[in-house]
Structures are given as structure tokens and as C-alpha cells.
Amino acid sequence: MSKIPEALHDYINTAFPKNVCLVGTVLPDGFANISPRGSVVVFDGDTLGLWDRGGRASSDALADGDKLMVYFRDTALGAVARGGNGLLPAGGIARFFGTSEIHRDGAACEQVWTTMVQPERDADPDKKGFAVLIRVERAEDLRGQPLA
């Protein structure tokens, strides 16, 4: 069974601009860095990808093997009693914890580039950034329960 439920794939891939994912990294000084990322996509059932345009504190902090967290929220997926569809009843929130892999070229880089929404590609017209794959180790809802 995949760690990223198939029912969430399209919602994650099209989250930008309304429901931009937040990605948490740890800076070299030990502080957390939370950054909005419009380029987060589902790479496969156990892997998220994102495009990093570089030049920011979060870019400088990324390296192979880093632990990352992706926070996804879409209130339309929340509790039915609150007007959502019930897919993620605890606030429409999913958290994905995983380990990073940096890809500056190759097939993985191309897949992230072509899967992310067009406005994110437009923001890096010279394609100077790089792909980050996040191998998801666990995925949970707001209450810490595994996603089904």
C-alpha cells in the first residue's frame, strides 16, 4: 500500500495557488525553516517531489538525506459536518515525513519539472533550479493517525 493515498494525488498536484504546501527543513543553525512551495507534486505512491529555484535559505539548507516534512491543507477535504468531503476529516490536513534526494538532472528532474503546475515552471524560465524527491517514510493526518 502506498504511503500517499491515490485519492490525494490530484489534490496535491494542483494545490497551487489556493492550497500551497508548506515544506519544513532544518537550517544549519538548528532552527526550523518553513517555506511555501507551489511546486510540490506526487512523484509516485511513496515519493513527493518539488522544484527548488534556489537562492533562498531553504535552498541552501537542502542536501541529500535531510529529513523534511510537507504540510498539505485543503479545507474542501475536511469533515463532512463542516462542508468538506471527508477525505481528510481532521481539518483537511495531511503531513508527510521523509528524506530528501537532490536531482540536478536526469529523469527524476524532468518528471518533477513536467508534473508541476505551469506557473511554477514560468517562475524559473531558464530552468536553473533542481528537483528534490522526498521519500515518504510516514504520512498522517492532523491527529497523527496514518493516512488510509
Side-chain angles (χ1 to χ4, degrees):
M1 185 164 130
S2 297
K3 292 181 178 79
I4 306 166
E6 191 170 335
L8 291 178
H9 290 199
D10 286 340
Y11 291 106
I12 292 168
N13 290 345
T14 61
F16 182 84
K18 185 177 179 189
N19 300 301
V20 176
C21 292
L22 300 176
V23 177
T25 61
V26 179
L27 297 172
D29 62 7
F31 284 98
N33 185 63
I34 309 300
S35 179
R37 299 294 182 131
S39 63
V40 174
V41 295
V42 176
F43 186 82
D44 63 36
D46 295 315
T47 310
L48 294 171
L50 64 87
W51 188 260
D52 192 296
R53 293 191 296 268
R56 295 177 264 179
S58 57
S59 301
D60 295 339
L62 284 172
D64 282 328
D66 284 351
K67 299 294 186 185
L68 304 177
M69 191 273 288
V70 176
Y71 179 94
F72 169 77
R73 181 176 185 231
D74 184 339
T75 56
L77 306 181
V80 174
R82 296 189 177 167
N85 69 8
L87 188 58
L88 294 169
I93 294 168
R95 289 186 270 200
F96 303 94
F97 299 86
T99 304
S100 66
E101 268 180 32
I102 308 299
H103 293 268
R104 297 191 183 276
D105 55 31
C109 195
E110 285 304 310
Q111 183 175 331
V112 171
W113 176 262
T114 58
T115 306
M116 69 182 176
V117 294
Q118 187 63 47
E120 284 296 310
R121 289 193 298 271
D122 293 345
D124 188 3
D126 297 324
K127 204 173 177 183
K128 292 183 178 181
F130 55 92
V132 179
L133 296 185
I134 304 164
R135 303 293 181 186
V136 176
E137 296 168 23
R138 72 179 197 268
E140 57 189 43
D141 67 16
L142 182 62
R143 295 182 182 118
Q145 298 302 308
L147 295 180

